[in-house]
Amino acid sequence: MLPNGFLERMKRLLGEDYEDFLASYERPRNTGLRMNPLKGEAPKLSFCEERVAWAENGYYLQVEARPGLNPLHDAGVYYLQEPSAMAPATLLDAQPGEIVLDLCAAPGGKTTQIAAAMCSEGLLICNEIHPKRAKILSSNIERMGISNALVLNEHPAKLAERFPSYFDRILVDAPCSGEGMFRKEDAAVNDWSEETVKMCAARQTEILNSAAQMLAPNGRLVYSTCTFAPEENEGVIAQFLEHHPDFIVERVEAPWFSCGRPDWIEASAQGIEHTFRLLPHKLRGEGHFAAVLRRSQTGQRHEPALQETVALPPAIREFMQLNQIFMPQQAVAFGDTCYLAPKGLPKLNGMKVLRVGLELGEVRKGRFVPSHALALWLKEFPNMANFASDSYEISAYLQGQTLNADFRGWTLVCVDGYSLGWAKGADGVLKNHYPKGLRRSNAKNN
C-alpha cells in the first residue's frame, strides 16, 4: 500500500511512464552482493547470477538465495548490497592514495566499496552521526578486512570546522525520505509524508553545505539519495549550486541511468540534466538519485596536523616477525589497544573515534593477543587451518566450539581459503577465539 500523496506526485511527474513504474512494484525485488577484492580472488558462488553493469564486483542474486548464512559472508568475502546502491561509489571513482570522506557512512556498503577501489592505499574517513549505527559501520569495516579507514561518530558541521578544503573526494549519501526503498522496508512507507520530504530536503542541504567546505580544490563530491522526491534531489542540487558558484555539475558517462529532470523543479540551475536518476522500471534496481559535483581549482588544500605515532610494542613486533607479517613500524595506541595507522592520519584530539586503521590487538601481561580484525585482514599465516564452507568444523567454529587439529600456538582458521578468525592450538585441540558477540547459536551454511 503506497502512500496516496506519493502516487499522485509520481503520476504527475512520470506521465505515460507511470503505469510501467507501478508495474515494477509487482516484480520480485532485486537483491545483490559485491565481491571484496581485498580478500583475494573472488570465489564462484552458485547463488550469483549476472553482473551488475555499473559495479565492477557487483552481482545479482537468485531470489531464493540466503547468502548471509554462508560462512564466506562472515569472512568478509562479499557484502550484501542492493544493486542501485552500488552506483554512488562507482560515480565517486575513488583512487588509491587519495584522501576520501564518506560523510553519512552507516551501515557501510558504500564505504566498503570505496575501500575496495582504494586498494588499501590512502586515507578513508567514514563518519556516522548516530552512535549505534556508527558501531555497525565499524563492525563492517572490520569484517571486510579494511586497513586504511578511520571511523568517526561526529556531526558534519564539526568535521567541516576540523577539515576545511582537505578531501580529494567526498560521498554524501544523505538521509532521505526513502521512497526508493518502499519495496524493501515497510517502515519507509509508514513514515512517509510530505512534511518528511521537506524536512529531509532541509537536512540534506545542511549536510551538503558542510561537505562543500571539506572538499579540496578540484575535488569531486557525489551527492546521492534513495528517494524519488525532486525536492530532495534536483531541488537540493539547484539550491546548492546557487549558493556555491565554485561548484559545477560534472558530466560523467553513465549510460545505464536516466538523466536528472530540471523540469521537475521550480528553480533552475545549469547542469541538472547531467545528474542521474535510477528508476526501477528502467533498470534492475531500486530508486536512487546521484549528482557528481566538481569544485573549482581556486584555493589551496588544507593540511591538518598529523597524529603522533609510536613504535610497535616489542610483543607485537616479535609476533609479526615470528609469523612473517610485514608491517610498517608505526602505530597509534588507544588505551591497551594498538592500531596500525593509515599514512597521513590527521590529529584526532577531541574527536569521537571508533576505529583507527587496522586494529592489531592488545598486549596483556607482556603477551600479544591478536585482534579479530587482524585475522580478517591476513591472507597468509604460518599456522592455517582451512575448512570447507559446508564442513562441520566451520559450523562448530562459528558457534564457539573447540576443534580437533594438530597445531601449536596462534592459528588462522580459514573457510575455503579465506581468513575467518583466530584459534589457539595445543595438545591436538584448537581453542576457539572467535568473538563471542559474533558467534552463532545454530550455525547454518548455504
Side-chain angles (χ1 to χ4, degrees), residues 233-294:
N233 296 330
E234 290 94 342
V236 167
I237 296 301
Q239 183 179 356
F240 175 81
L241 293 173
E242 180 182 355
H243 293 93
H244 295 83
D246 54 335
F247 279 79
I248 62 168
V249 177
E250 184 173 8
R251 187 166 186 172
V252 176
E253 293 299 323
W256 322 281
F257 311 140
S258 302
C259 297
R261 297 295 297 267
D263 55 317
W264 286 2
I265 57 174
E266 295 182 2
S268 62
Q270 187 173 2
I272 294 295
E273 67 277 11
H274 299 314
T275 61
F276 299 106
R277 278 187 171 271
L278 283 67
L279 300 168
H281 61 294
K282 299 284 189 181
L283 48 68
R284 288 186 63 187
E286 304 301 327
H288 268 69
F289 173 86
V292 182
L293 304 170
R294 175 73 69 177

XYZ file of all heavy atoms in Angstrom, residues 233-294:
505
model
N 16.245 15.944 -4.404
C 17.216 15.577 -5.425
C 17.617 16.792 -6.263
O 18.491 17.568 -5.879
C 16.637 14.454 -6.295
C 16.416 13.187 -5.486
O 17.137 12.919 -4.530
N 15.421 12.405 -5.865
N 16.966 16.993 -7.404
C 17.305 18.138 -8.249
C 17.145 19.459 -7.499
O 17.927 20.395 -7.694
C 16.409 18.150 -9.502
C 16.697 17.030 -10.487
C 15.827 15.811 -10.288
O 15.221 15.673 -9.190
O 15.734 14.990 -11.211
N 16.123 19.522 -6.608
C 15.894 20.755 -5.863
C 17.039 21.095 -4.931
O 17.459 22.254 -4.839
N 17.563 20.093 -4.225
C 18.706 20.316 -3.326
C 19.935 20.746 -4.116
O 20.664 21.665 -3.721
C 18.993 19.048 -2.501
C 20.353 19.143 -1.810
C 17.898 18.832 -1.467
N 20.166 20.106 -5.256
C 21.342 20.440 -6.069
C 21.219 21.846 -6.649
O 22.196 22.613 -6.666
C 21.533 19.397 -7.187
C 21.836 18.028 -6.591
C 22.658 19.824 -8.132
C 23.074 17.978 -5.719
N 20.037 22.219 -7.119
C 19.843 23.564 -7.679
C 20.102 24.629 -6.622
O 20.778 25.638 -6.883
C 18.436 23.694 -8.242
N 19.589 24.408 -5.424
C 19.806 25.366 -4.342
C 21.284 25.420 -3.957
O 21.841 26.502 -3.705
C 18.968 24.976 -3.125
C 19.074 25.944 -1.960
C 18.216 25.527 -0.784
O 17.487 24.552 -0.850
N 18.295 26.281 0.299
N 21.929 24.264 -3.934
C 23.354 24.216 -3.593
C 24.190 24.999 -4.599
O 25.065 25.791 -4.225
C 23.807 22.753 -3.554
C 25.286 22.580 -3.340
C 25.833 22.664 -2.076
C 26.136 22.346 -4.422
C 27.199 22.518 -1.882
C 27.498 22.192 -4.243
C 28.032 22.279 -2.965
N 23.930 24.795 -5.882
C 24.711 25.485 -6.916
C 24.498 26.996 -6.860
O 25.421 27.766 -7.146
C 24.325 24.946 -8.291
C 24.714 23.488 -8.571
C 24.138 23.028 -9.892
C 26.225 23.312 -8.557
N 23.307 27.407 -6.475
C 23.026 28.842 -6.367
C 23.896 29.493 -5.290
O 24.354 30.631 -5.460
C 21.552 29.052 -6.031
C 21.158 30.525 -5.891
C 19.707 30.701 -5.513
O 18.959 29.698 -5.453
O 19.306 31.865 -5.267
N 24.146 28.772 -4.215
C 24.911 29.328 -3.100
C 26.389 28.944 -3.135
O 27.158 29.397 -2.277
C 24.295 28.872 -1.780
C 22.938 29.445 -1.521
N 21.766 28.799 -1.879
C 22.563 30.626 -0.946
C 20.733 29.538 -1.522
N 21.178 30.658 -0.963
N 26.791 28.111 -4.100
C 28.197 27.696 -4.210
C 28.653 27.831 -5.666
O 28.757 26.831 -6.392
C 28.375 26.254 -3.730
C 28.084 26.057 -2.277
N 26.803 25.886 -1.802
C 28.902 26.023 -1.178
C 26.845 25.741 -0.485
N 28.109 25.827 -0.090
N 28.935 29.039 -6.111
C 29.318 29.256 -7.510
C 30.643 28.618 -7.901
O 30.968 28.548 -9.089
C 29.387 30.787 -7.608
C 29.603 31.259 -6.207
C 28.871 30.294 -5.342
N 31.416 28.144 -6.911
C 32.679 27.472 -7.218
C 32.479 25.991 -7.515
O 33.458 25.252 -7.690
C 33.679 27.647 -6.073
C 33.134 27.196 -4.723
O 31.894 27.199 -4.546
O 33.945 26.865 -3.843
N 31.216 25.527 -7.592
C 30.894 24.142 -7.916
C 30.112 24.074 -9.225
O 29.324 24.974 -9.537
C 30.056 23.493 -6.818
C 30.837 23.008 -5.634
C 31.271 23.903 -4.662
C 31.140 21.668 -5.480
C 31.987 23.469 -3.561
C 31.854 21.221 -4.381
C 32.285 22.111 -3.416
N 30.321 22.971 -9.949
C 29.527 22.688 -11.147
C 29.076 21.229 -11.098
O 29.651 20.416 -10.364
C 30.321 22.923 -12.453
C 31.539 21.983 -12.513
C 30.740 24.380 -12.598
C 32.217 21.942 -13.875
N 28.045 20.912 -11.863
C 27.685 19.511 -12.075
C 28.636 18.950 -13.115
O 28.695 19.448 -14.244
C 26.231 19.359 -12.547
C 25.925 17.888 -12.832
C 25.265 19.907 -11.498
N 29.397 17.956 -12.722
C 30.363 17.364 -13.647
C 29.655 16.342 -14.533
O 28.889 15.502 -14.051
C 31.493 16.690 -12.871
C 32.589 16.141 -13.762
C 33.780 15.636 -12.975
O 33.696 15.567 -11.736
O 34.794 15.315 -13.614
N 29.930 16.409 -15.806
C 29.307 15.475 -16.739
C 30.091 14.169 -16.745
O 31.279 14.141 -17.070
C 29.259 16.079 -18.135
C 28.466 15.232 -19.126
C 28.161 15.999 -20.385
N 27.294 15.250 -21.279
C 26.749 15.744 -22.380
N 26.984 17.010 -22.721
N 25.961 15.005 -23.131
N 29.416 13.088 -16.392
C 30.034 11.764 -16.302
C 29.221 10.808 -17.159
O 27.986 10.837 -17.141
C 30.060 11.273 -14.837
C 30.601 9.852 -14.757
C 30.896 12.216 -13.979
N 29.912 9.962 -17.901
C 29.221 8.980 -18.738
C 28.734 7.821 -17.871
O 29.525 7.127 -17.226
C 30.160 8.468 -19.830
C 30.548 9.524 -20.861
C 29.351 10.072 -21.623
O 28.426 9.279 -21.925
O 29.332 11.285 -21.888
N 27.428 7.636 -17.834
C 26.825 6.519 -17.103
C 25.581 6.094 -17.869
O 24.456 6.426 -17.493
C 26.483 6.936 -15.680
N 25.755 5.358 -18.952
C 24.644 5.065 -19.866
C 23.540 4.187 -19.278
O 22.479 4.058 -19.879
C 25.341 4.352 -21.033
C 26.586 3.773 -20.451
C 27.021 4.753 -19.405
N 23.776 3.606 -18.115
C 22.769 2.721 -17.514
C 21.640 3.519 -16.859
O 20.577 2.978 -16.600
C 23.424 1.825 -16.461
C 24.778 1.358 -16.851
C 25.083 0.331 -17.710
C 26.026 1.913 -16.424
N 26.440 0.213 -17.821
C 27.049 1.167 -17.048
C 26.376 2.958 -15.569
C 28.397 1.443 -16.845
C 27.707 3.244 -15.367
C 28.706 2.485 -16.000
N 21.884 4.805 -16.559
C 20.964 5.574 -15.738
C 20.199 6.611 -16.560
O 20.664 7.066 -17.610
C 21.710 6.291 -14.611
C 22.652 5.407 -13.845
C 23.897 5.878 -13.437
C 22.309 4.097 -13.530
C 24.767 5.071 -12.742
C 23.175 3.273 -12.834
C 24.404 3.764 -12.437
N 19.042 7.025 -16.056
C 18.265 8.102 -16.665
C 18.831 9.449 -16.223
O 19.508 9.552 -15.195
C 16.796 7.998 -16.258
O 16.252 6.745 -16.625
N 18.548 10.489 -16.988
C 19.039 11.830 -16.674
C 18.170 12.497 -15.614
O 16.986 12.176 -15.464
C 19.061 12.700 -17.927
S 20.188 12.111 -19.207
N 18.765 13.432 -14.881
C 18.012 14.251 -13.957
C 16.972 15.077 -14.702
O 17.076 15.288 -15.912
N 15.983 15.581 -13.980
C 14.854 16.263 -14.597
C 14.744 17.707 -14.103
O 14.089 17.982 -13.091
C 13.570 15.493 -14.291
C 13.526 14.069 -14.869
C 13.525 14.072 -16.384
N 12.343 14.731 -16.899
C 11.220 14.108 -17.220
N 11.130 12.783 -17.083
N 10.194 14.778 -17.698
N 15.369 18.645 -14.799
C 15.233 20.051 -14.405
C 13.800 20.553 -14.499
O 13.432 21.512 -13.810
C 16.151 20.787 -15.392
C 16.371 19.843 -16.519
C 16.273 18.478 -15.942
N 12.981 19.899 -15.325
C 11.580 20.316 -15.464
C 10.721 19.884 -14.276
O 9.550 20.280 -14.190
C 10.985 19.751 -16.758
C 11.115 18.241 -16.854
O 12.194 17.715 -16.522
O 10.136 17.582 -17.256
N 11.263 19.118 -13.346
C 10.507 18.685 -12.174
C 10.650 19.638 -10.990
O 10.073 19.394 -9.926
C 10.950 17.285 -11.751
C 10.429 16.203 -12.674
C 9.682 16.361 -13.794
C 10.634 14.792 -12.518
N 9.405 15.148 -14.379
C 9.974 14.156 -13.610
C 11.300 13.999 -11.593
C 9.978 12.774 -13.781
C 11.293 12.621 -11.757
C 10.636 12.010 -12.835
N 11.450 20.689 -11.124
C 11.649 21.643 -10.033
C 11.404 23.060 -10.540
O 11.495 23.337 -11.739
C 13.067 21.544 -9.438
C 14.132 21.759 -10.517
C 13.264 20.193 -8.739
C 15.551 21.810 -9.985
N 11.080 23.962 -9.622
C 10.816 25.346 -9.987
C 12.106 26.119 -10.231
O 12.176 26.935 -11.150
C 9.999 26.021 -8.882
C 8.608 25.434 -8.700
C 7.821 26.151 -7.626
O 8.351 27.129 -7.062
O 6.678 25.728 -7.337
N 13.110 25.884 -9.385
C 14.385 26.590 -9.550
C 15.116 26.058 -10.777
O 14.873 24.940 -11.237
C 15.249 26.407 -8.309
N 16.006 26.852 -11.295
C 16.804 26.428 -12.444
C 18.284 26.521 -12.093
O 18.706 27.402 -11.348
C 16.506 27.309 -13.671
O 16.846 28.653 -13.399
N 19.050 25.596 -12.624
C 20.499 25.592 -12.413
C 21.143 24.845 -13.562
O 20.617 23.828 -14.027
C 20.855 24.940 -11.088
N 22.259 25.346 -14.004
C 22.947 24.729 -15.139
C 23.478 23.351 -14.763
O 24.091 23.171 -13.708
C 24.099 25.624 -15.606
C 24.759 25.149 -16.881
C 25.781 26.157 -17.389
O 26.003 27.179 -16.767
N 26.391 25.860 -18.517
N 23.235 22.372 -15.590
C 23.799 21.048 -15.403
C 22.904 20.047 -14.710
O 23.292 18.879 -14.561
N 21.694 20.445 -14.285
C 20.806 19.500 -13.607
C 20.510 18.293 -14.495
O 20.337 17.169 -14.016
C 19.494 20.187 -13.187
C 19.765 21.254 -12.123
C 18.485 19.176 -12.656
C 20.289 20.720 -10.822
N 20.483 18.517 -15.800
C 20.201 17.414 -16.717
C 21.314 16.375 -16.740
O 21.132 15.273 -17.273
C 19.969 17.949 -18.134
C 21.192 18.570 -18.803
C 21.443 20.030 -18.420
O 20.781 20.522 -17.469
O 22.294 20.677 -19.049
N 22.475 16.707 -16.150
C 23.585 15.762 -16.104
C 23.653 15.001 -14.782
O 24.615 14.256 -14.546
C 24.907 16.484 -16.354
C 24.983 17.151 -17.684
N 24.598 16.527 -18.849
C 25.388 18.409 -18.033
C 24.763 17.362 -19.864
N 25.222 18.501 -19.403
N 22.650 15.198 -13.919
C 22.530 14.346 -12.740
C 21.860 13.036 -13.165
O 21.489 12.870 -14.327
C 21.718 15.041 -11.638
O 20.395 15.319 -12.118
C 22.380 16.350 -11.218
N 21.720 12.110 -12.213
C 21.243 10.769 -12.585
C 20.070 10.326 -11.724
O 20.064 10.549 -10.509
C 22.372 9.747 -12.433
C 23.556 10.022 -13.297
C 24.729 10.513 -12.743
C 23.515 9.808 -14.667
C 25.832 10.770 -13.533
C 24.616 10.062 -15.464
C 25.779 10.548 -14.902
N 19.118 9.685 -12.403
C 18.021 9.006 -11.718
C 18.062 7.526 -12.063
O 18.200 7.168 -13.226
C 16.669 9.599 -12.133
C 16.323 10.866 -11.382
C 14.922 11.341 -11.671
N 14.583 12.436 -10.765
C 14.033 12.282 -9.570
N 13.743 11.059 -9.151
N 13.752 13.320 -8.815
N 17.955 6.697 -11.027
C 17.861 5.253 -11.221
C 16.418 4.875 -10.949
O 15.946 4.931 -9.809
C 18.807 4.511 -10.279
C 20.301 4.511 -10.667
C 20.909 5.898 -10.577
C 21.083 3.547 -9.774
N 15.695 4.536 -11.992
C 14.261 4.279 -11.917
C 13.994 2.787 -12.055
O 14.522 2.138 -12.969
C 13.535 5.052 -13.015
C 13.709 6.580 -12.934
C 13.207 7.242 -14.212
C 12.964 7.131 -11.727
N 13.175 2.202 -11.164
C 13.009 0.745 -11.130
C 12.338 0.163 -12.367
O 12.451 -1.050 -12.590
C 12.155 0.524 -9.873
C 11.464 1.816 -9.649
C 12.422 2.872 -10.103
N 11.684 0.986 -13.148
C 11.091 0.455 -14.388
C 12.033 0.623 -15.577
O 11.706 0.226 -16.692
C 9.751 1.140 -14.684
C 9.826 2.618 -14.884
N 10.175 3.496 -13.880
C 9.604 3.389 -15.982
C 10.140 4.727 -14.343
N 9.812 4.700 -15.612
N 13.236 1.184 -15.313
C 14.228 1.384 -16.373
C 15.449 0.481 -16.209
O 16.232 0.327 -17.149
C 14.691 2.844 -16.384
C 13.590 3.866 -16.652
C 13.214 3.908 -18.117
C 12.283 5.078 -18.402
N 11.881 5.140 -19.835
N 15.638 -0.089 -15.010
C 16.798 -0.945 -14.758
C 16.466 -1.933 -13.651
O 15.414 -1.844 -13.010
C 18.039 -0.115 -14.406
C 17.943 1.007 -13.358
C 17.703 0.488 -11.959
C 19.209 1.847 -13.376
N 17.380 -2.876 -13.403
C 17.191 -3.874 -12.353
C 17.754 -3.354 -11.035
O 18.873 -3.641 -10.643
C 17.859 -5.192 -12.731
C 17.170 -5.971 -13.826
C 17.832 -7.326 -14.004
N 17.713 -8.161 -12.798
C 18.314 -9.338 -12.643
N 19.094 -9.808 -13.620
N 18.159 -10.036 -11.538
N 16.957 -2.535 -10.372
C 17.372 -1.959 -9.110
C 16.283 -1.067 -8.561
O 15.282 -0.800 -9.237
N 16.486 -0.586 -7.326
C 15.505 0.282 -6.701
C 15.774 1.740 -7.086
O 16.686 2.042 -7.836
C 15.547 0.098 -5.179
C 15.330 -1.338 -4.727
C 13.994 -1.920 -5.182
O 13.010 -1.164 -5.269
O 13.944 -3.134 -5.460
N 14.965 2.643 -6.532
C 15.064 4.053 -6.887
C 16.210 4.770 -6.195
O 16.362 4.672 -4.971
N 17.010 5.477 -6.975
C 18.113 6.273 -6.446
C 18.286 7.543 -7.272
O 17.798 7.637 -8.414
C 19.433 5.484 -6.477
C 19.717 4.727 -5.221
N 18.981 3.639 -4.830
C 20.655 4.904 -4.260
C 19.457 3.160 -3.685
N 20.478 3.924 -3.327
N 19.015 8.486 -6.692
C 19.406 9.711 -7.392
C 20.874 9.966 -7.072
O 21.347 9.663 -5.977
C 18.566 10.899 -6.923
C 19.018 12.234 -7.471
C 18.571 12.680 -8.704
C 19.904 13.029 -6.750
C 18.982 13.902 -9.213
C 20.329 14.254 -7.255
C 19.862 14.689 -8.484
N 21.605 10.531 -8.031
C 23.008 10.876 -7.788
C 23.404 12.079 -8.630
O 22.960 12.228 -9.774
C 23.929 9.692 -8.097
N 24.224 12.921 -8.040
C 24.788 14.074 -8.748
C 26.282 14.113 -8.492
O 26.731 13.975 -7.344
C 24.136 15.378 -8.271
N 27.064 14.287 -9.542
C 28.519 14.390 -9.434
C 28.875 15.868 -9.535
O 28.599 16.522 -10.538
C 29.224 13.591 -10.543
C 30.735 13.685 -10.377
C 28.770 12.134 -10.524
N 29.493 16.401 -8.485
C 29.844 17.811 -8.411
C 31.356 17.974 -8.403
O 32.072 17.154 -7.824
C 29.246 18.444 -7.152
C 27.725 18.303 -6.993
C 27.301 18.760 -5.607
C 27.006 19.094 -8.068
N 31.827 19.027 -9.030
C 33.263 19.319 -9.083
C 33.508 20.728 -8.568
O 32.829 21.675 -8.964
C 33.781 19.192 -10.512
C 35.240 19.592 -10.719
C 36.205 18.570 -10.138
N 36.192 17.318 -10.877
C 36.995 16.288 -10.594
N 37.867 16.373 -9.595
N 36.919 15.171 -11.293
